[in-house]
Amino acid sequence: MARAKSTARAEARRRYRAAEDDGSSMDGTEDVPSTPGAGRTAAHVGTGSAAPGRIGMRAAFTQAMRPLNVREDLAALPWIATHSKALWLPLLITVGSTIAAIAVGGTNVITTFLFAYFVQTPAIGGVFIAGFLAPRASWLLGVIVGLVAAACYTFIGLSGVIPVSPTVGSTDVVVSSFILSPILGGFFAAGAAWYRRFLALSNPNHGRRRQAQAAKQTAKRGDGRTRGSQKAGARR
């Protein structure tokens, strides 16, 4: 008698699962896994809002802007300097370009290019790299890189390794370098950081990556049920 009841229950469960499979195939949705937690996760991902595609140019333009927060940016500077290459990489290129220009005298194409873009005011190459790689405080990194470039340019100009314009005196070189280079460096670096965010927001795969990351986090967290309740549901 007990065996007959067990067989009847097994047959009923088989017909119920078959009916569920037929229903899911008819409405066009994906099959839900048998595990209750996985099923709820899959249903949450499947019935969620569709991944947003590329947003409009105007929306990407405005969303890429970030407010200036001087206190938090200054507090984050040590972490940025030690955990990212946004600061030390452009500084290394600037110092290396200065050494190369002094060693060669700016007589070949490579050293002339490095001197023009990473040392000479405004040193747009170094500050652009700093702003593009900065996780935050891009303007501050641009100011720092601009100050280092100004010091290098002043040293080269005063030493006479690479002659500056004949109409510009030594005092003019020092003043213009240490005023213009950090100011323009901050603006160029902030513009580079904005441009990086603008490209990320206007990328068609931006929304898909965000949805994939959200799905992974949801799968790691689970549905909040205990293991005992999952086992009980599986036995049912």
Side-chain angles (χ1 to χ4, degrees):
M1 186 69 179
R3 182 177 300 179
K5 289 182 179 180
S6 177
T7 304
R9 290 176 181 175
E11 181 65 22
R13 286 196 298 268
R14 186 187 64 80
R15 289 197 300 267
Y16 179 74
R17 291 173 181 172
E20 282 186 342
D21 294 339
D22 292 340
S24 62
S25 299
M26 289 174 61
D27 61 10
T29 59
E30 296 181 356
D31 294 336
V32 181
S34 58
T35 304
R40 185 166 179 172
T41 302
H44 174 73
V45 175
T47 59
S49 59
R54 182 172 56 186
I55 64 177
M57 300 291 289
R58 184 176 180 180
F61 184 91
T62 55
Q63 292 181 21
M65 297 181 180
R66 295 291 184 272
L68 181 64
N69 196 324
V70 179
R71 181 176 299 179
E72 293 184 1
D73 290 343
L74 290 173
L77 181 60
W79 186 92
I80 297 173
T82 56
H83 291 80
S84 70
K85 55 186 177 182
L87 181 60
W88 62 263
L89 180 59
L91 290 180
L92 183 63
I93 297 176
T94 301
V95 175
S97 302
T98 304
I99 296 174
I102 294 174
V104 181
T107 56
N108 58 16
V109 178
I110 298 178
T111 55
T112 303
F113 174 82
L114 293 176
F115 174 78
Y117 284 92
F118 293 95
V119 181
Q120 187 177 12
T121 304
I124 59 176
V127 297
F128 184 85
I129 294 175
F132 201 83
L133 298 178
R136 65 168 301 162
S138 57
W139 67 272
L140 182 57
L141 301 185
V143 170
I144 296 174
V145 175
L147 286 173
V148 174
C152 295
Y153 180 62
T154 300
F155 176 77
I156 291 178
L158 296 180
S159 62
V161 177
I162 299 179
V164 295
S165 176
T167 60
V168 179
S170 59
T171 305
D172 297 333
V173 171
V174 174
V175 173
S176 62
S177 297
F178 281 96
I179 291 179
L180 295 179
S181 191
I183 294 176
L184 295 178
F187 278 106
F188 274 113
W194 171 87
Y195 182 64
R196 182 201 65 206
R197 293 189 294 265
F198 174 77
L199 292 179
L201 290 171
S202 58
N203 188 359
N205 297 323
H206 176 69
R208 299 174 185 175
R209 287 196 300 266
R210 293 182 60 183
Q211 189 186 32
Q213 293 176 358
K216 289 181 181 179
Q217 293 177 357
T218 305
K220 290 181 179 179
R221 287 195 301 265
D223 61 348
R225 295 184 179 183
T226 61
R227 186 177 299 178
S229 62
Q230 291 181 358
K231 290 182 178 180
R235 286 196 297 269
R236 293 172 187 165

